[in-house]
Amino acid sequence: MHGPSESFPLDEASIRSALDAAPIDDPALIREILTKARAMKGLDDGDLPPLMAIQDPQLLHELFDTARWVKDQIYGNRIVMFAPLYVSNLCANECLYCAFRATNRELKRRALSQEEIAAEVTCLLSQGHKRVVLVAGEAYPKEGLDYILKAIQTVYKTRLGSENIRRVNVNIAPLDVDDFRRLKDVEIGTYQVFQESYHRETYSRMHVRGLKSDFDWRLGCMDRAMLAGIDDVGIGALFGLYDWRFELLAIMHHARHLEERFGCGPHTISVPRIEPAEGSATSEAPPHAVTDEDFSKIIAILRLAVPYTGLILSTRERPEVRREALNLGISQISAGSRTNPGGYEEEASDGGAQFSLGDHRSLDEVVRDLAESGFIPSFCTSCYRMGRTGADFMDLAKPGEIKAHCHPNALSTLQEFIEDHASPETRRAAERLLADSLKDMDGRARVLAESMVALVKEGERDVFC
Ligand code: SAM
Ligand code: SF4
């Protein structure tokens, strides 16, 4: 019997022994696992260590090829776009890698007022964003959690002409079940929190003060969120703190636990890598820095292991790393991001930022780059608004039925971006891609997509199925 405060039973010893026992470059075994992955039913935890241990360039090539194939079968060339919205950098914790930590006296502290939040949202809307992830440090102004709940309501009700943010995901510190119910009541999309490290000893060393130093409180967070009725949760680890192989297998165990207990695994998995943060020696030289090649491996293996789970990549990564990651399995990316509260309105200043970014391009530039590379930037928020969340979403996604919605929705929301926000160069690239995409579709899906795109061209907005 599980209790609300119980975390999933993370078994470090079994993870370690599975990693230690993995054979290196056994071609027959690797190919057997890759063949299984092509059935797109996911992998068992035991399949992961041999893939992580691949060293042979030919086998690595086959791993990446299989990931590209699975990605293409399930997601096609669509990439969902979002922006982070940092509302506050107040924090009572002491995470050694983060600029927001309590003892960083150099950081300019700021919690945005509701008016300032509305101004940030207006900026994001003027760029063309429709989906945000609201982010905050773990210390709120005197209203406590009410500050965050009001902030979410402010985001939803802010309008720029007829435009508004249609989905607010949230990345804030773990809550108890009652507070998670309050968060659900303000209609969040996904609730995200990263375990940072699933390795207890590393976790203790990295989180030296405040509520966050309680490893088990954080580990049980998604159990509490799902008990409170939040259907879509997003997990992840901060890569660079500990051995990535351990973290990856632990993420899989976590996903499996949620699936067994609640009938649905995480909606998304994020793969943040540590970036330099103001005044943090740990972030400048992470104890287990992950190379670009290993980072690609992480993404490819996740794509094969949980084919229907969204994989999120942020602007922590450089454009060239992001391009490769999109091919291997990433399905959602942020663009035009700022990690300092107020950073969208006060573009010139990055004082108070959480960490430095690898991709500084605007949303318009990223959309153009995606379109020129054959990816369809999608601003779709349809599933969440049609109630296709949690297990209901997975029931549609697994037999491949969700594609019938995703593709037309991606094209109609891209047409909105073209009409309302694109620069002339971006418009040209996106129109070319849209025309080619429609040509490649057939049957009912094409008729549906063409009619939705036509409605947007005629001036209708928020056309979705
Ligand atoms: N304060 C809450 C928490 O820690 O869960 C939520 C927001 S926190 C600002 C969001 C995430 O930023 C953290 O979970 C951590 O993984 C990530 N982060 C912190 N410092 C970072 C750094 N130097 N580089 C990359 N990501 C970092
Ligand atoms: Fe605070 Fe989160 Fe940064 Fe830790 S990671 S110092 S909890 S904002």
Side-chain angles (χ1 to χ4, degrees):
M1 191 56 197
H2 293 280
S5 61
E6 191 180 327
S7 58
F8 91 90
L10 175 68
D11 182 353
E12 277 194 16
S14 83
I15 294 179
R16 197 28 74 209
S17 59
L19 293 173
D20 291 345
I24 294 176
D25 290 344
D26 174 344
L29 176 63
I30 301 285
R31 287 181 183 135
E32 191 186 312
I33 299 170
L34 295 181
T35 303
K36 178 173 166 183
R38 281 183 187 255
M40 296 186 290
K41 294 197 172 4
L43 295 177
D44 296 308
D45 298 343
D47 297 325
L48 268 57
L51 297 183
M52 297 191 229
I54 291 177
Q55 289 175 5
D56 175 56
Q58 172 57 29
L59 292 174
L60 196 60
H61 176 76
E62 291 176 33
L63 167 67
F64 289 168
D65 242 23
T66 313
R68 278 188 206 106
W69 185 85
V70 168
K71 161 92 202 277
D72 193 48
Q73 294 297 308
I74 296 176
Y75 298 86
N77 51 354
R78 293 180 303 278
I79 303 292
V80 170
M81 312 299 294
F82 71 96
L85 172 58
Y86 279 71
V87 294
S88 158
N89 60 13
L90 311 185
C91 196
N93 292 325
E94 191 63 19
C95 310
L96 299 187
Y97 46 80
C98 180
F100 292 177
R101 66 188 195 288
T103 62
N104 186 4
R105 309 266 176 254
E106 302 301 307
L107 191 85
K108 213 169 90 205
R109 300 281 166 180
R110 183 167 181 197
L112 300 183
S113 66
Q114 299 301 322
E115 293 70 33
E116 288 169 331
I117 292 170
E120 287 291 272
V121 172
T122 306
C123 277
L124 289 169
L125 289 172
S126 72
Q127 293 168 21
H129 280 292
K130 299 285 185 275
R131 172 191 291 245
V132 299
V133 55
L134 185 142
V135 188
E138 189 166 6
Y140 308 123
K142 58 178 181 331
E143 312 103 282
L145 181 64
D146 280 349
Y147 169 74
I148 297 290
L149 303 178
K150 275 191 214 148
I152 295 166
Q153 289 163 331
T154 299
V155 178
Y156 276 129
K157 68 175 191 243
T158 301
R159 291 273 185 289
L160 180 65
S162 64
E163 297 187 88
N164 65 318
I165 295 292
R166 299 170 183 164
R167 175 174 177 136
V168 182
N169 298 333
V170 174
N171 186 331
I172 59 161
L175 303 171
D176 62 22
V177 177
D178 286 342
D179 279 344
F180 270 130
R181 287 205 182 96
R182 299 177 67 212
L183 197 59
K184 180 183 161 61
D185 286 346
V186 292
E187 302 187 351
I188 60 162
T190 307
Y191 171 71
Q192 292 180 353
V193 105
F194 311 144
Q195 183 58 30
E196 319 298 10
S197 176
Y198 286 86
H199 186 249
R200 192 178 284 271
E201 193 200 312
T202 302
Y203 187 94
S204 300
R205 247 185 300 114
M206 291 293 153
H207 305 96
V208 296
R209 192 176 115 177
L211 255 183
K212 191 164 166 182
S213 57
D214 184 342
F215 179 81
D216 292 309
W217 174 248
R218 199 161 179 96
L219 201 59
C221 163
M222 294 312 179
D223 289 80
R224 297 192 300 279
M226 291 185 95
L227 279 169
I230 294 179
D231 289 336
D232 288 346
V233 299
I235 62 174
L238 182 57
F239 287 97
L241 295 180
Y242 187 59
D243 181 358
W244 64 267
R245 297 164 191 83
F246 183 96
E247 306 291 15
L248 195 49
L249 208 47
I251 287 176
M252 289 314 303
H253 284 203
H254 198 176
R256 206 75 66 209
H257 162 76
L258 296 175
E259 190 157 358
E260 281 166 10
R261 185 173 181 191
F262 298 101
C264 178
H267 188 65
T268 56
I269 296 177
S270 297
V271 289
R273 268 199 295 189
I274 297 188
E275 288 299 321
E278 196 181 306
S280 157
T282 307
S283 69
E284 297 283 345
H288 289 265
V290 173
T291 64
D292 287 351
E293 183 173 285
D294 284 342
F295 192 58
S296 295
K297 249 190 192 178
I298 291 171
I299 293 163
I301 294 171
L302 279 172
R303 187 69 297 147
L304 302 184
V306 280
Y308 296 96
T309 302
L311 291 185
I312 301 183
L313 190 71
S314 75
T315 49
R316 290 173 179 86
E317 300 298 336
R318 305 185 309 283
E320 59 276 22
V321 172
R322 281 168 41 108
R323 272 185 214 112
E324 173 66 352
L326 294 178
N327 285 318
L328 292 175
I330 292 296
S331 55
Q332 298 190 20
I333 61 169
S334 49
S337 305
R338 311 284 291 172
T339 67
N340 53 322
Y344 294 110
E345 245 225 320
E346 293 151 26
E347 229 185 304
S349 144
D350 66 355
Q354 193 192 12
F355 47 77
S356 55
L357 301 176
D359 186 344
H360 299 271
R361 295 171 300 167
S362 67
L363 176 62
D364 183 76
E365 288 170 302
V366 174
V367 166
R368 181 160 71 241
D369 183 26
L370 288 173
E372 285 171 352
S373 318
F375 289 106
I376 302 173
S378 170
F379 295 85
C380 175
T381 53
S382 161
C383 279
Y384 150 76
R385 292 156 78 215
M386 299 285 277
R388 295 190 295 257
T389 58
D392 292 343
F393 171 82
M394 285 298 170
D395 288 347
L396 275 175
K398 287 187 178 164
E401 287 169 24
I402 199 74
K403 270 201 242 174
H405 299 281
C406 298
H407 212 61
N409 285 331
L411 296 178
S412 68
T413 55
L414 178 59
Q415 187 65 46
E416 272 189 348
F417 185 84
I418 293 172
E419 298 292 328
D420 299 338
H421 300 286
S423 64
E425 308 90 288
T426 302
R427 184 182 185 108
R428 271 194 295 280
E431 278 177 340
R432 243 190 332 263
L433 174 78
L434 217 144
D436 289 348
S437 304
L438 286 170
K439 252 190 258 147
D440 288 345
M441 294 172 82
D442 44 37
R444 278 174 44 203
R446 177 169 174 172
V447 173
L448 177 64
E450 280 177 340
S451 67
M452 288 168 63
V453 167
L455 283 175
V456 174
K457 283 187 183 170
E458 286 159 19
E460 263 196 56
R461 292 291 174 267
D462 206 11
V463 178
F464 61 94
C465 60

